Amino acid sequence: MTELKPKAESGKPNAAQRGICSLAFFAIFAASVSGNPAVQAEDAPHIAFGTDVVPILTKLGCNGGGCHGKASGQNGFRLSLLGFEPDFDYEALVLEGGGRRLFPAAPDRSLLLLKGTGKVPHGGGRRLDEVSDDYRILREWIAQGAPAPRADDRQLVRIEVLPTEAVLPRQSEVQLQVTAHFSDGTTRDVTRQAVCLSNAAEVADVDADGRVRTGDQAGLVAIMARFGEQFATFHAAIPFVSDAAQMAAVQSRLDALPPPAHGATVDRFVRQQWRRLGVLPSGPADDATFLRRVTLDICGTLPTPAEVAAYLADSNSDKQAVLIDRLLQRPEHASYFALKWADILQNRGAGYSTSKQRAGTTLFAAWIRDSIAANKPYDQFVSEIITASGSQAENPPAIWYRTVRKTPEYVESVSQAFLGVRVQCAQCHHHPTGSWSQADYYGLAAVFGRVGRKGGFADAEVPTDEIIFVKASGDVRHPRTGAQMQPRPLGVRRLI
Amino acid sequence: MPRGSTHRRDSRQPLHAIAAAVGVWVCAASVASAQPPVLDVVFPPGGQAGQTISVTVGGSRLEALQSLHCSAADVKCEPAGAGQFRLSIPAATPPGLYDLWAYGSNGVSPPRSFVIGIHPEQTEAEPNDLSSAASPVLLNTVTNGRLEKAGDSDWFRFSAQRGQLVLIECWGERIDGRLRAVLEVFDSAGRRLAVNRGYFGIDPLILLAVPEDGEYVVRVQDLIAGGSPEHYYRLSIGTSPRVAFSLPNVVQRGTASRVALFGWNLPGAVTTAAGFDRLDLEIPPAAEGEWPLPALLHPAQATLAAESFVFRLPGSAFGVPISLTDAPVTLDNAANHTADSAQVLEIPSDISGQLGEGDERDWFAFRAERGEVLYFEAYGQRLGSPVDLQLSVCDQSGQELVTFADETRNIGGTFTTSHLDPAGRWVCPADGQYLVSVRNLIGGLATDPRRTYGLSVRREEQSFEVVAVPSLTEPAALNVSRGGRATLELLAFRERGMSGGIRVSARDLPLGVECPDAWLGPGVDRALLVVSAEPTAAPGLSELKLVAIADDDSLAAGRPVRFGTVVRAGSPTGWGRLVSRMPLAVADESPLRVSARVEETLEHHLYGELKLRYSPGTILDVVVDIERRDSAHAAPVRLIGVGLPGVIENQTAIIPAGQSRGFVSFYLPPHLAVGTYSLAVQAETTAPVAGGGMANVRAVSNAVAFHVKPSAFRVEIDPFAVRRVRRGETFQVAYSAVRTNGFLGKLHTELAAPGVVTNIPGIRGRGETFTGQTDHGSLQITINDDAPLGSQPYLRLLTVGVVEDQPTYLGSCWFPLEIVE
């Protein structure tokens, strides 16, 4: 008796159906290619899916989070968010739905182009002009038989934006050029295929062709260009002065300022930005104000009247530096910055405030404070936390694992607390505005794949005084590919 | 119905519910007058050998105290006013940790730690809460202090010279205190030079390499700013030798051994790269059976402690525990970090090693034959080493065959016996060479020479230790009221496949005190020991000595039973430790005496007086007699089994008001191993108290032993048999009596109740006999019109197995029946 199987979900054929449809598609396609003179032209440039087609889909917004790039897709058609997974997109575009989206025998009759140009109803409206380069490239790719990404396809290595920075007057324009550099050494102007975004449109905005226009506001602006997985940035300064004479006057006054104390690097960068923006700094704070500010900033407290009096009476020229050094030695400095770090490391009172848990919270807080007081190098500080093991009742940094308990928490806490980047997006898809892929995310997760816990007890429903140890085994798998991930830090190919 | 009692079967232990309903229960010993004392604080918590010191005790119910008793020999005690005593410590007393008990007319208290040292001691004097008010301390002195209120901190100052290594060590938790100490040391300019929040467990240690001649200040405070009289401590500041650990940590019994001691300020030592002094020396053979060990011993260390001694370097205040073994000792050769370079060992072996590096793994190679059974046991946490060991047996290529688990089973409640050291049994699959690897799961990045371990590889050499504890939930002592009883929980630590029965017997009991043998049946690791005092027993303090003997004579010699106490009650942070001995106090009078015995005979209408033979699949009837001191008050008594083997379902019963005898019956399940077991019955009732009024009273019977012999058949009632019948009804009950162990004899089944066969009031059943291969049948039962209403839970089917016309075997099963109108 034949078992009745449920039909595949609408628009989501199962693997067997996809295979059959794909074979049928390629059979039709092979027949159609043989009779298509356009495809037979051997001198037609090869259109690569990953580096030529996908960026157009991105540029047109097809794979945006509000359209086919969202997790559930749109009307049965789903692409990877912003085209970060070309293999997935190729399957969706070419193989899914029995290959109905492309028609190599008559490329202009392909559903992809008909929808994009609005010739058949399209929920996303008309996105593509028939006479545009984008249309031409898509049509050509279809006409070539919609070739799949190949192992020997040239790879996008980086993109470059020129100019990289500029000082622009208000109400002015500058054209950006985005150049893609490929693994075979070739380059291509992808300005029109790149997505360009301004971080301060009120200061300067950018259009689809890469032309930057400044407005009436002065300030700093960054224009990010994205093509494929690569990013590049153009930085512009729009001065607060209105003409060259004023700029010269400001810069002359800046040149007259005394050099930064002790050649401070930060001060050098700050001055450089003043020059670009044409701004003059406020005058130096008086001694009492400086003392108040610096004491608050470093120690989180106000100076005592005696300290104020002593500082005001001090006539040494380097008294600011001496004061700062002294403040850095004070226990209040360690306590104040330990408080900040306790927040970052989630050494919470809330949720861990019972009498049985208070010892752990206090122990970790004290360890952080001691580390800062000892001026422990940052890499050592972080290493001691991440590699902490043993009883949380005895080894303070192991208490970090009290709050940070699961794979997403390991990855996101490490990246945000210690690396200053947010990679949450890459848990489900490639980061839309960063270079973090799911492989990066789960590669970092694999670093923690063998973190084990034992012992302890649940106090107020919260595990307390666990023992953190290294398990003999434990792996992390890529949620889409199922591949076992090799542990590696963010941005590093392999863990050495 | 059974004589004199109503019974109820209840798989849940209902004590909590009962206690909640009637309020707080008190033990029988405490009804007539005050309860036994509880000692929370002895201050100072130690003294110098050769000195007489004054100590103050704190706790509850200490009004009638007469003396303090120390486990160190010849420490003399004299009362010195309310709550105060003078202790004279002989000069020859070896330094270390001892126990101190308080004794008075109400009994003896649970112990508190008391340290005997070699250095001069002083007591902290307030005010010393500020650096500017720091108390002066000379080097190589011990300061006894306490943080009596929340937020308190104590400051001390000492002078030291450049180049000296000053050890600043605080004892808090290790001496039963509540203080979680934080130690800080500052220079004369107020700069903090060091801080420590835990080195020996959570007790801190600072090693101060003195940078300049001058004065230094030490602060002691609680981690969470706590404070109370129980936040006491001992602070030692000095330059005397301090041994932290030894290698090897196990030596062969009866021989002199060469060991390396690691510590600080060890005379004649070389300093290692890790900052420890190393002193190699030969130590003489250890004295046999040294006990007590003057060291803190946790429950999980019971088996280790029984085979250990403490070696103390002259000039040091504390010794280092070293284990004893009969097997050859192998020292980790430090070149065995890969499977290819595995160190060869013979079986049996005791290995002593070190995993200094965080990711270090030590490999050992051994030969074994197919079918050979080996036992592997690692020692790390139980040695006080900061490791969590993993132990794996691998084939010759290093492919893992088995990894052994930690001992996660806790048989002692708050007296926690679980630990992180793995152990296991391995059966060799084929002749050949195999590997065993040891690694540390919490090594981290740092190197730490303290990470020592032990590894025992043995064949099936069975062993065990038994520890007796007055209570597994709270600090308690052994106080027996005259005419009453007291209990000790027995915990069996079985090693290398020892699963047989263990008998625990008392030795040298004082006049008027009884302690029948208690049995830990096969595979049983908890039982109850009951100590009784005759009404005429003289009040006083003596010592309970127990010996444990394997039931099957596989281990010829008896082993002394060790003792333990819960130091801090409460779950999950309570804890316990081993103690040096178990004082036994006879005090007070019991308002209730409960006696139990196992029913040994039964009058059968067909077979006459049956000698009862218990086997898996029978019901054990325990007869309970109540003697009330005030016979005029005969309240109902609730009975429940205590100290039962875990596989036996507990039961309760009620002795009605005015009666003094009842039954509690227990079903011995078919999978119960053959052997001897014991249990007791706890009675709960009310009794008059001195001065008028009533109190809830709880008393325990004597322990009763019963022998479980092989069964010949198993009786089971049809699970669909009728459970609820009306008066006057007649019905059939289907049942089976399936023969086992080759039994072919006749089987006769009757309806029965405790002490009664067939003649059950109000219920008539016609017996049935199976011959040949018959094993299924049914009984016809009639309920009389005057049958008692309600559940008849101790009703059962009783089957007699007959061999050559002699009633030889018995089997029974419950017949739960409810009679309604």
Side-chain angles (χ1 to χ4, degrees):
Chain A
M1 185 175 168
T2 305
E3 187 183 355
L4 293 175
K5 293 182 176 175
K7 291 173 67 175
E9 284 181 47
S10 175
K12 291 184 178 177
N14 60 31
Q17 288 171 319
R18 274 206 308 270
I20 292 167
C21 292
S22 304
L23 286 172
F25 168 75
F26 277 109
I28 296 167
F29 164 69
S32 64
V33 165
S34 62
N36 188 343
V39 176
Q40 287 176 331
E42 290 187 357
D43 57 349
H46 168 67
I47 307 295
F49 181 76
T51 54
D52 296 322
V53 175
V54 172
I56 294 173
L57 301 179
T58 305
K59 174 86 172 184
L60 297 177
C62 308
N63 54 23
C67 200
H68 299 287
K70 65 187 175 193
S72 57
Q74 185 78 18
N75 292 333
F77 179 36
R78 184 186 163 208
L79 295 169
S80 69
L81 184 68
L82 303 177
F84 287 119
E85 295 168 26
D87 291 342
F88 177 87
D89 293 341
Y90 184 82
E91 185 174 340
L93 197 57
V94 179
L95 304 180
E96 264 185 16
R100 73 191 188 95
R101 297 190 174 102
L102 305 180
F103 191 14
D108 293 318
R109 302 299 297 164
S110 296
L111 194 59
L112 175 71
L113 297 177
L114 292 173
K115 285 247 182 186
T117 54
K119 287 183 177 174
V120 297
H122 179 220
R126 188 167 183 272
R127 316 293 296 183
L128 192 58
D129 194 326
E130 278 179 282
V131 295
S132 66
D133 285 346
D134 294 343
Y135 185 92
R136 182 183 56 77
I137 292 169
L138 291 176
R139 185 193 180 285
E140 184 61 29
W141 173 66
I142 298 168
Q144 287 180 6
R150 298 194 312 238
D152 61 347
D153 277 347
R154 62 180 184 173
Q155 301 296 313
L156 179 65
V157 176
R158 65 183 175 92
I159 66 169
E160 179 182 33
V161 176
L162 291 175
T164 56
E165 61 179 32
V167 176
L168 301 175
R170 298 177 207 188
Q171 296 294 352
S172 63
E173 291 185 359
V174 64
Q175 175 64 48
L176 300 181
Q177 183 183 28
V178 184
T179 305
H181 295 255
F182 295 95
S183 55
D184 60 359
T186 60
T187 60
R188 180 157 67 87
D189 183 347
V190 294
T191 307
R192 291 185 157 201
Q193 287 77 43
V195 177
C196 295
L197 295 169
S198 168
N199 75 336
E202 67 281 9
V203 178
D205 206 355
V206 60
D207 65 17
D209 293 330
R211 177 166 292 275
V212 178
R213 291 183 178 82
T214 61
D216 291 327
Q217 285 192 31
L220 296 171
V221 66
I223 308 293
M224 182 198 71
R226 184 179 67 230
F227 180 77
E229 290 187 17
Q230 300 297 322
F231 297 81
T233 311
F234 162 72
H235 295 277
I238 293 84
F240 285 85
V241 293
S242 54
D243 56 41
Q246 288 182 9
M247 178 64 96
V250 168
Q251 292 188 346
S252 169
R253 291 179 64 184
L254 287 172
D255 290 341
L257 290 174
H262 308 289
T265 304
V266 171
D267 288 356
R268 191 157 50 79
F269 282 116
V270 170
R271 287 181 182 225
Q272 189 178 320
Q273 224 42 311
W274 288 342
R275 293 180 70 84
R276 296 178 76 219
L277 287 170
V279 297
L280 287 168
S282 304
D286 59 63
D287 280 355
T289 304
F290 177 80
L291 176 64
R292 177 173 56 81
R293 287 177 180 170
V294 79
T295 309
L296 276 172
D297 284 351
I298 295 176
C299 292
T301 185
L302 288 168
T304 63
E307 287 169 337
V308 174
Y311 186 72
L312 295 181
D314 189 347
S315 58
N316 289 321
S317 59
D318 63 345
K319 68 178 184 178
Q320 286 190 349
V322 170
L323 170 65
I324 291 169
D325 285 344
R326 186 159 46 80
L327 291 173
L328 289 172
Q329 294 300 317
R330 279 174 52 171
E332 292 95 327
H333 164 65
S335 297
Y336 183 46
F337 277 74
L339 200 62
K340 296 171 188 278
W341 267 107
D343 283 344
I344 294 169
L345 298 174
Q346 304 177 70
N347 187 29
R348 296 174 181 151
Y352 294 92
S353 55
T354 70
S355 60
K356 298 186 184 80
Q357 293 159 346
R358 206 175 303 138
T361 305
T362 309
L363 197 63
F364 193 21
W367 179 85
I368 298 168
R369 190 169 62 245
D370 293 347
S371 299
I372 292 169
N375 200 20
K376 184 180 287 182
Y378 184 66
D379 57 347
Q380 183 186 343
F381 178 71
V382 175
S383 298
E384 289 179 5
I385 292 171
I386 292 176
T387 64
S389 57
S391 169
Q392 291 173 338
E394 296 178 9
N395 189 18
I399 293 165
W400 181 69
Y401 282 98
R402 191 174 65 174
T403 312
V404 181
R405 309 188 62 80
K406 301 173 185 168
T407 294
E409 292 167 352
Y410 293 145
V411 174
E412 292 157 24
S413 295
V414 165
S415 58
Q416 192 166 345
F418 301 136
L419 304 175
V421 296
R422 297 171 67 97
V423 297
Q424 283 91 323
C425 302
Q427 185 184 358
C428 303
H429 52 74
H430 196 290
H431 197 292
T433 58
S435 56
W436 313 120
S437 66
Q438 279 186 284
D440 287 317
Y441 187 96
Y442 289 98
L444 181 56
V447 171
F448 298 91
R450 287 170 55 195
V451 172
R453 298 165 187 271
K454 64 169 86 167
F457 53 88
D459 192 34
E461 301 182 356
V462 177
T464 302
D465 283 358
E466 290 175 308
I467 293 169
I468 305 300
F469 71 101
V470 181
K471 291 190 292 187
S473 61
D475 58 36
V476 170
R477 293 186 177 273
H478 195 295
R480 188 168 55 80
T481 66
Q484 182 178 338
M485 302 303 297
Q486 291 299 310
R488 61 186 171 99
L490 286 179
V492 175
R493 289 286 178 197
R494 301 184 68 82
L495 182 61
I496 299 171
Chain B
M1 284 300 293
R3 300 179 301 246
S5 63
T6 59
H7 304 100
R8 186 162 70 83
R9 196 151 56 103
D10 188 353
S11 60
R12 298 159 299 172
Q13 299 214 3
L15 291 178
H16 305 300
I18 298 165
V22 300
V24 177
W25 288 89
V26 293
C27 70
S30 62
V31 171
S33 58
Q35 294 183 43
V38 174
L39 189 61
D40 293 329
V41 181
V42 176
F43 192 83
Q48 185 186 7
Q51 301 293 312
T52 295
I53 62 167
S54 177
V55 299
T56 305
V57 297
S60 51
R61 305 190 288 273
L62 302 178
E63 301 79 15
L65 282 195
Q66 298 165 356
S67 59
L68 299 179
H69 295 262
C70 183
S71 59
D74 300 327
V75 171
K76 300 281 187 277
C77 170
E78 289 176 30
Q84 291 200 320
F85 297 89
R86 264 192 304 279
L87 291 178
S88 299
I89 307 169
T93 305
L97 263 70
Y98 295 89
D99 293 313
L100 203 64
W101 294 268
Y103 172 71
S105 57
N106 295 326
V108 65
S109 74
R112 275 289 179 255
S113 276
F114 187 76
V115 185
I116 294 179
I118 59 172
H119 296 302
E121 306 210 355
Q122 65 178 36
T123 299
E124 167 229 352
E126 299 280 353
N128 61 351
D129 295 352
L130 297 171
S131 171
S132 56
S135 304
V137 175
L138 294 174
L139 285 185
N140 297 323
T141 61
V142 173
T143 303
N144 295 289
R146 53 183 160 188
L147 304 175
E148 291 204 72
K149 58 183 186 300
D152 194 7
S153 65
D154 291 343
W155 293 77
F156 306 93
R157 59 185 162 84
F158 64 93
S159 295
Q161 294 177 329
R162 179 190 171 116
Q164 282 183 310
L165 180 66
V166 176
L167 274 66
I168 306 165
E169 183 175 357
C170 189
W171 292 65
E173 190 196 46
R174 287 175 291 175
I175 52 173
D176 299 347
R178 287 187 182 274
L179 175 65
R180 167 124 203 208
V182 177
L183 274 185
E184 295 168 287
V185 60
F186 301 83
D187 65 12
S188 56
R191 283 189 294 268
R192 193 174 74 173
L193 302 178
V195 59
N196 190 261
R197 298 179 183 84
Y199 187 86
F200 296 106
I202 61 171
D203 282 349
L205 169 77
I206 287 177
L207 305 171
L208 179 67
V210 178
E212 299 294 342
D213 292 3
E215 204 159 68
Y216 296 86
V217 183
V218 173
R219 175 162 67 176
V220 182
Q221 59 182 337
D222 185 66
L223 179 68
I224 56 171
S228 75
E230 290 183 71
H231 284 67
Y232 54 81
Y233 61 86
R234 282 171 62 83
L235 176 69
S236 66
I237 302 175
T239 56
S240 59
R242 175 74 166 94
V243 178
F245 63 95
S246 75
L247 273 177
N249 44 39
V250 56
V251 298
Q252 207 157 12
R253 197 188 308 272
T255 62
S257 305
R258 191 147 190 88
V259 301
L261 301 180
F262 293 82
W264 306 277
N265 293 331
L266 307 185
V270 294
T271 302
T272 65
F276 283 89
D277 286 354
R278 174 182 175 142
L279 178 62
D280 290 82
L281 74 171
E282 186 169 281
I283 60 173
E288 282 294 321
E290 183 184 348
W291 191 267
L293 300 183
L296 173 63
L297 297 168
H298 292 288
Q301 294 174 299
T303 56
L304 194 67
E307 302 287 342
S308 296
F309 69 101
V310 170
F311 176 75
R312 190 176 68 84
L313 188 69
S316 68
F318 292 95
V320 56
I322 297 177
S323 302
L324 289 167
T325 180
D326 293 321
V329 173
T330 304
L331 199 58
D332 161 24
N333 67 9
N336 55 357
H337 298 161
T338 65
D340 293 337
S341 60
Q343 184 175 351
V344 175
L345 58 84
E346 299 297 323
I347 297 172
S349 273
D350 274 306
I351 298 135
S352 180
Q354 193 176 30
L355 296 166
E357 301 295 330
D359 57 352
E360 191 171 321
R361 188 169 185 174
D362 286 354
W363 293 81
F364 301 92
F366 62 95
R367 292 201 67 81
E369 296 176 358
R370 182 172 186 270
E372 192 174 3
V373 176
L374 297 178
Y375 283 86
F376 296 85
E377 183 165 12
Y379 298 88
Q381 187 191 37
R382 288 175 293 171
L383 295 173
S385 174
V387 294
D388 177 7
L389 298 175
Q390 187 188 59
L391 187 60
S392 303
V393 176
C394 307
D395 64 18
Q396 202 166 357
S397 68
Q399 183 68 35
E400 191 175 292
L401 300 175
V402 63
T403 293
F404 298 114
D406 299 350
E407 177 53 90
T408 55
R409 209 166 52 103
N410 176 22
I411 59 173
T414 302
F415 188 76
T416 308
T417 61
S418 57
H419 55 80
L420 297 177
D421 295 341
R425 176 180 186 266
W426 178 73
V427 182
C428 179
D431 292 6
Q433 177 161 296
Y434 294 88
L435 305 172
V436 56
S437 80
V438 187
R439 72 185 186 105
N440 177 18
L441 299 177
I442 56 172
L445 296 178
T447 299
D448 188 346
R450 291 183 299 155
R451 294 179 189 140
T452 60
Y453 68 88
L455 170 62
S456 162
V457 185
R458 303 287 182 95
R459 297 191 176 85
E460 276 188 299
E461 301 164 28
Q462 298 185 349
S463 180
F464 70 94
E465 297 293 335
V466 175
V467 175
V469 189
S471 167
L472 297 179
T473 56
E474 60 187 359
L478 183 58
N479 288 289
V480 190
S481 49
R482 281 174 288 154
R485 311 182 199 278
T487 60
L488 287 171
E489 298 273 1
L490 298 176
L491 306 177
F493 294 73
R494 299 171 180 273
E495 290 193 295
R496 297 188 284 275
M498 199 285 176
S499 61
I502 300 169
R503 178 163 54 94
V504 176
S505 307
R507 297 278 188 272
D508 306 329
L509 287 170
L511 202 61
V513 175
E514 294 175 346
C515 180
D517 290 353
W519 293 83
L520 292 130
V524 173
D525 46 30
R526 265 180 73 170
L528 210 59
L529 181 95
V530 182
V531 182
S532 309
E534 293 298 321
T536 55
L541 186 66
S542 58
E543 182 181 349
L544 181 69
K545 294 176 183 172
L546 299 174
V547 63
I549 301 166
D551 187 20
D552 58 3
D553 295 329
S554 59
L555 299 162
R559 305 186 69 81
V561 172
R562 310 303 182 187
F563 298 100
T565 186
V566 168
V567 174
R568 195 79 59 211
S571 175
T573 50
W575 62 282
R577 62 175 176 83
L578 299 179
V579 297
S580 50
R581 62 185 192 219
M582 183 57 59
L584 189 165
V586 174
D588 212 338
E589 290 184 347
S590 173
L592 200 66
R593 186 172 177 91
V594 185
S595 301
R597 61 179 172 82
V598 170
E599 194 81 295
E600 292 181 349
T601 60
L602 180 65
E603 191 63 32
H604 195 288
H605 65 287
L606 292 180
Y607 302 108
E609 187 177 81
L610 283 179
K611 188 174 182 189
L612 295 177
R613 178 184 189 278
Y614 294 104
S615 57
T618 55
I619 291 170
L620 173 80
D621 292 320
V622 178
V623 185
V624 181
D625 289 301
I626 305 293
E627 292 175 55
R628 299 173 175 90
R629 195 171 67 193
D630 183 352
S631 57
H633 181 80
V637 181
R638 187 181 192 90
L639 305 177
I640 187 169
V642 287
L644 274 68
V647 296
I648 298 179
E649 189 180 24
N650 205 350
Q651 307 291 336
T652 63
I654 300 287
I655 299 178
Q659 297 188 23
S660 58
R661 169 166 292 186
F663 284 87
V664 192
S665 302
F666 305 96
Y667 180 65
L668 307 181
H671 55 278
L672 185 68
V674 170
T676 306
Y677 301 83
S678 61
L679 56 79
V681 176
Q682 181 172 282
E684 299 163 358
T685 185
T686 58
V689 293
M694 305 293 290
N696 300 316
V697 179
R698 180 178 291 167
V700 175
S701 76
N702 54 300
V704 293
F706 55 98
H707 307 285
V708 177
K709 297 178 178 173
S711 64
F713 50 87
R714 191 169 75 238
V715 186
E716 286 183 350
I717 199 163
D718 177 8
F720 299 104
V722 62
R723 296 283 194 269
R724 198 162 189 242
V725 294
R726 286 193 292 273
R727 280 175 168 170
E729 196 171 339
T730 297
F731 59 99
Q732 301 273 328
V733 174
Y735 70 98
S736 64
V738 179
R739 293 171 171 83
T740 59
N741 296 326
F743 177 70
L744 294 172
K746 188 170 69 176
L747 296 173
H748 181 80
T749 304
E750 294 276 358
L751 201 59
V756 184
V757 180
T758 300
N759 301 318
I760 301 166
I763 304 175
R764 286 176 290 142
R766 181 189 294 273
E768 186 181 28
T769 302
F770 294 163
T771 55
Q773 298 302 309
T774 307
D775 57 10
H776 282 73
S778 62
L779 295 184
Q780 179 169 305
I781 297 171
T782 300
I783 307 298
N784 292 348
D785 291 338
D786 61 349
L789 296 173
S791 294
Q792 319 286 318
Y794 278 175
L795 204 60
R796 84 256 336 236
L797 300 188
L798 174 69
T799 301
V800 179
V802 180
V803 178
E804 295 179 352
D805 294 332
Q806 293 300 312
T808 306
Y809 298 107
L810 291 177
S812 45
C813 70
W814 299 121
F815 176 29
L817 185 69
E818 182 184 7
I819 299 174
V820 296
E821 282 287 4

